[in-house]
Amino acid sequence: MPFSFFSSKSGNPKWELTLDVLYDIVGTSIFAVGISCFSSPNNIAPGGVSGMAILVEYLIGLPVSMVSLFFNIPLLLLAWRFLGRRFTLRTLRTVAIMTGTMWLSEQFLVPYHGEMILASLFGGVLEGLGLAIVFLRGSTTGGTDVASRLIQLKFPHISIGRLMLAVDGSVLLLSALVYRNVENALYGLITIFTMTRLLDSVLYGMDTGKVLLVMSEHHDAIVAAIWEKLDRGCTLLHAQGAYTKQDRPVLLCAVRKNQYHALKQLVYAIDPGAFVLSLEAGEVIGEGFKTPPLQ
């Protein structure tokens, strides 16, 4: 069943809570496998609280699950004070579930000891996928996200993304010192890159598309062909040539990326002299694309 169904709001509090907990269990379980089986056994610290916990495990032997919880407790107390009760309780629930799933993975799963590049890649894939599933319900695993939000209260001109990058970068530099090996930090960078790319792909990749702006004397024929062959609607924008001062329509059409090549071929088959602008659409909401969120 598609994610859009699960991530929609039904208005039933019990059903919403059930979905929240289900997403947390599935997401944190996948994340825990990435940490316990790939990152931690190979001394790869992929930034954030989990990365710090892996470093502490290497230094004094405490399990990553317990150290992560220890680091999150003061952050949650600060979040309660400055970020609000609702955000903190939601994060606390996810952190508690993540601690449990990570502890279980530490006890029962076999760690991978092999090629470091494979460990960093598979760790990044699993951790990114796990976080994406948690984020789909609007929750967070605490750690870097909470710390970044708290820091932004003091420095509101700095974006959350830059703050999280700064925190993760600091953990990578610290890992090079702890392991006394730059390669471990570089593998951690690979894990972070893979994780963030997969995270973006899951959260936004299904809703991205292409937007074409087409200027052509044969716009009526192009509109009809797009409707018939691609089952896509179009919008005609009223525009005026800056030099000629003549009014002319501009055709706007949004399509999924797998339809872009067919759309471009269709336009030039009708009018080889058409002027076409192609734009990236980070998210497309509406009929034929992502379902609008319920208010």
Side-chain angles (χ1 to χ4, degrees):
M1 196 168 291
F3 281 125
S4 58
F5 173 80
F6 284 115
S7 59
S8 64
K9 298 299 181 181
S10 66
N12 186 326
K14 292 183 179 179
W15 174 243
E16 293 298 322
L17 179 60
T18 300
L19 286 181
D20 287 343
V21 173
L22 177 62
Y23 266 59
D24 283 348
I25 292 173
V26 174
T28 58
S29 296
I30 296 173
F31 180 83
V33 172
I35 292 292
S36 301
C37 293
F38 293 98
S39 294
S40 178
N42 294 282
N43 295 336
I44 298 173
V49 164
S50 297
M52 289 292 296
I54 290 173
L55 296 180
V56 172
E57 180 191 42
Y58 174 80
L59 291 173
I60 60 178
L62 291 177
V64 173
S65 56
M66 295 299 105
V67 178
S68 295
L69 178 62
F70 175 79
F71 280 137
N72 271 305
I73 288 174
L75 292 174
L76 289 171
L77 292 175
L78 290 173
W80 182 280
R81 172 68 175 82
F82 295 105
L83 298 179
R85 177 175 175 267
R86 183 175 181 179
F87 172 83
T88 306
L89 289 177
R90 192 181 185 95
T91 304
L92 176 61
R93 183 197 66 221
T94 306
V95 168
I97 293 174
M98 183 178 68
T99 302
T101 55
M102 194 171 292
W103 181 85
L104 289 172
S105 66
E106 291 169 343
Q107 302 303 311
F108 299 106
L109 296 183
V110 178
Y112 171 81
H113 293 284
E115 293 290 336
M116 289 290 289
I117 188 66
L118 291 178
S120 58
L121 288 173
F122 276 93
V125 167
L126 292 171
E127 290 156 31
L129 179 59
L131 289 177
I133 293 173
V134 171
F135 291 168
L136 280 171
R137 289 297 297 180
S139 189
T140 173
T141 56
T144 305
D145 185 34
V146 175
S148 301
R149 290 171 187 260
L150 290 169
I151 295 173
Q152 196 184 43
L153 294 176
K154 183 68 174 178
F155 304 99
H157 59 283
I158 305 177
S159 69
I160 288 288
R162 289 184 179 180
L163 288 171
M164 293 180 71
L165 181 62
V167 174
D168 289 341
S170 300
V171 174
L172 284 179
L173 291 176
L174 186 60
S175 71
L177 297 175
V178 171
Y179 296 133
R180 299 181 182 180
N181 189 337
V182 177
E183 288 187 358
N184 289 78
L186 296 177
Y187 286 122
L189 184 61
I190 293 173
T191 299
I192 291 175
F193 177 80
T194 306
M195 178 172 58
T196 53
R197 292 293 295 178
L198 185 67
L199 183 63
D200 287 343
S201 296
V202 173
L203 292 179
Y204 308 113
M206 294 180 290
D207 308 318
T208 60
K210 284 277 192 178
V211 175
L212 261 67
L213 297 173
V214 181
M215 284 148 274
S216 170
E217 298 294 335
H218 305 281
H219 54 271
D220 288 335
I222 294 173
V223 170
I226 292 174
W227 177 262
E228 178 184 352
K229 297 183 179 181
L230 299 181
D231 194 26
R232 289 293 181 189
C234 301
T235 300
L236 290 177
L237 308 176
H238 297 288
Q240 185 183 74
Y243 179 73
T244 64
K245 304 301 180 184
Q246 294 181 351
D247 293 333
R248 61 172 62 187
V250 176
L251 187 153
L252 182 150
C253 183
V255 295
R256 295 195 182 276
K257 289 187 175 182
N258 59 0
Q259 293 181 309
Y260 167 68
H261 183 66
L263 175 58
K264 189 169 63 173
Q265 283 189 322
L266 187 152
V267 169
Y268 283 112
I270 296 173
D271 183 5
F275 187 82
V276 178
L277 289 176
S278 174
L279 308 173
E280 292 285 341
E283 185 176 31
V284 185
I285 301 175
E287 186 176 354
F289 294 93
K290 181 181 180 181
T291 304
L294 299 178
Q295 300 298 325

